[in-house]
Amino acid sequence: MIVLGLTGSIGMGKSTTAQMFLDAGVPVYSADETVHRLYSGKAAPLIEQDFPGTTSDGEVDRAKLSAAVMGKPEALQRLEEIVHPLVRTEENRFRQDSENSGAKLVLLDIPLLFETGAEKRVDKVLVVTAPKEVQRERVLAREGMTADKFEAILARQVPDAEKRNRADFIIDTSQGLVAARVHVQQIIHSLVDMSAD
């Protein structure tokens, strides 16, 4: 089974691209969706313990948690120490289930792939990218997003140019959905054919 890692900076089109792989029949694991699930389950009491007042009704209040860690590297690191091992356990379960079901290719959608060293756990890396102005426009259109918040997120991410340099495949999502879908199909064929050799 070939494991393809998908990453890209905020607003580059990771979710849309991951959905294209899913539509093509490739099992997809989303680190973000896993975090969302954990925030309303297993992780909530652990986070409340270290960050009192950041949960309500057994679910993490993302706005309160964000306020508790924004601009505080030690707090952010503590949060990651709680969440990352749980996310990793879910990822391992996904891999095992996919392998058991005979999948030839799986996609791991991990926004902080390079930042967390997760590229060592995948066979190939796909980076989604777009011109800076397209990225900025997409991100600032999101509800609750501010220019400051956007800059703070970017500061924590490996720069787009470096991601592209370290990628095996690159999709420029500013070229439109049809072009991206064609590119996704080409990547799937090259990887699945490769694993058949």
Side-chain angles (χ1 to χ4, degrees):
M1 185 175 81
I2 288 182
V3 181
L4 176 64
L6 167 67
T7 194
S9 298
I10 184 170
M12 293 301 199
K14 279 184 303 299
S15 303
T16 305
T17 305
Q19 187 60 49
M20 289 176 183
F21 277 90
L22 202 55
D23 294 344
V26 175
V28 171
Y29 167 84
S30 164
D32 273 355
E33 279 173 25
T34 301
V35 169
H36 278 283
R37 263 201 323 278
L38 290 167
Y39 275 8
S40 56
K42 242 183 253 180
L46 303 172
I47 290 171
E48 178 62 35
Q49 202 176 317
D50 275 40
F51 301 95
T54 57
T55 67
S56 57
D57 300 328
E59 286 195 27
V60 171
D61 180 321
R62 295 177 81 94
K64 286 180 183 169
L65 184 59
S66 179
V69 299
M70 188 63 83
K72 301 174 193 153
E74 302 81 15
L76 186 62
Q77 189 181 347
R78 179 66 202 119
L79 177 63
E80 288 172 350
E81 284 165 4
I82 295 168
V83 177
H84 286 177
L86 297 172
V87 173
R88 187 75 187 275
T89 300
E90 296 295 318
E91 179 194 313
N92 290 339
R93 185 176 300 139
F94 165 82
R95 284 169 176 260
Q96 199 53 62
D97 292 348
S98 301
E99 193 136 23
N100 293 344
S101 69
K104 289 199 166 30
L105 171 67
V106 296
L107 183 82
L108 302 186
D109 174 1
I110 305 179
L112 299 176
L113 184 88
F114 293 121
E115 293 82 350
T116 59
E119 78 275 12
K120 299 180 193 79
R121 306 198 304 271
V122 301
D123 301 305
K124 299 281 180 189
V125 173
L126 162 61
V127 167
V128 287
T129 187
K132 274 195 176 76
E133 58 278 10
V134 173
Q135 176 193 27
R136 187 176 183 81
E137 196 177 300
R138 285 175 183 169
V139 176
L140 292 180
R142 293 180 183 184
E143 202 179 318
M145 184 57 72
T146 64
D148 285 349
K149 213 173 188 179
F150 175 45
E151 292 306 326
I153 292 167
L154 279 184
R156 285 183 44 224
Q157 297 185 338
V158 167
D160 179 54
E162 188 183 328
K163 284 190 177 113
R164 292 196 315 264
N165 283 339
R166 296 166 70 180
D168 298 289
F169 304 101
I170 297 170
I171 294 180
D172 181 342
T173 60
S174 70
Q175 304 295 308
L177 292 174
V178 174
R181 198 166 274 117
V182 167
H183 208 138
V184 164
Q185 290 295 343
Q186 290 168 340
I187 292 168
I188 292 170
H189 286 302
S190 72
L191 290 174
V192 173
D193 289 349
M194 191 176 85
S195 70
D197 291 345

